[in-house]
Amino acid sequence: MSLKKASLLILLILIVDQVSKIYIKTNFMLGEEINVLGWFRILFVENDGMAWGAKIPGSYGKILLTSFRIVAIGLISYWLWDIVKKKSPKILIVSVSLILAGAIGNIIDSVFYGIIFDSSLGNVATLFTEEPYGELLKGKVVDMLYFPLYNDTLPNWIPIWGGERFVFFEPVFNVADTAISTGFGLLVVFNKKAFPKK
């Protein structure tokens, strides 16, 4: 696979990711939800950019996380260039391209959204506002895809958790997260094809 084709894949994912995020940000209030199919919902949430809503404490935690992610993008970009140059298996190039596209998609939110949008809390955000909600490198990542496949009370006969409310699959994510997860999934499933022994 050529670098041009890998770049087109990355660009396509970035366009879909950013268009979906900007649409949600400019048409939904934070916490607003639309039930699409029962087990699939559009739910607008924002996070500081770490998996499962985790945070690095302190006033510079977000800047540290964003800076680390920018460095990681540089390293993944170099890896992609290197594996294309070495004519590595297509599955490896596609996987790394997906991971890179997802990383770039989420870093765009972290770097720029705090200075181009106003707050979504209690109102629909405005793009290119005069009153942004944050600072450069301190934007929040927009998530909207929610798949609560099971959302009910567990039977009482189940030890420990019986009688408690249980939701599977609870995380809310976005197109960039999907690209990253798919890239890693392909590397796990097709590990022998991606990294053949010489």
Side-chain angles (χ1 to χ4, degrees), residues 150 152-166:
Y150 178 88
D152 208 347
T153 303
L154 293 173
N156 287 326
W157 56 264
I158 296 177
I160 302 171
W161 300 286
E164 293 184 18
R165 190 104 188 135
F166 178 74

Side-chain angles (χ1 to χ4, degrees), residues 57-75:
S59 60
Y60 291 102
K62 177 65 177 170
I63 293 174
L64 183 65
L65 173 64
T66 302
S67 300
F68 168 77
R69 294 170 98 189
I70 291 169
V71 170
I73 286 171
L75 295 172

Side-chain angles (χ1 to χ4, degrees), residues 23-24 27-29 31-44 144-146 148:
Y23 176 81
I24 292 296
N27 289 279
F28 285 67
M29 288 190 290
E32 191 173 344
E33 180 177 1
I34 292 178
N35 188 336
V36 180
L37 294 171
W39 52 268
F40 169 51
R41 300 175 188 185
I42 302 295
L43 171 61
F44 175 28
M144 79 292 289
L145 303 174
Y146 182 41

Side-chain angles (χ1 to χ4, degrees), residues 82-100:
D82 188 54
I83 61 177
V84 168
K85 187 176 86 172
K86 291 178 179 174
K87 298 189 183 339
S88 294
K90 184 177 181 179
I91 192 70
L92 178 60
I93 296 170
V94 168
S95 299
V96 174
S97 297
L98 289 170
I99 293 166
L100 180 58

Side-chain angles (χ1 to χ4, degrees), residues 123-135:
N123 60 275
V124 174
T126 305
L127 181 61
F128 302 120
T129 181
E130 293 181 14
E131 296 179 21
Y133 74 82
E135 302 170 25

Side-chain angles (χ1 to χ4, degrees), residues 113-115 117 131-136 138-139:
Y113 277 25
I115 60 170
F117 285 107
E131 296 179 21
Y133 74 82
E135 302 170 25
L136 188 68
K138 289 188 175 182

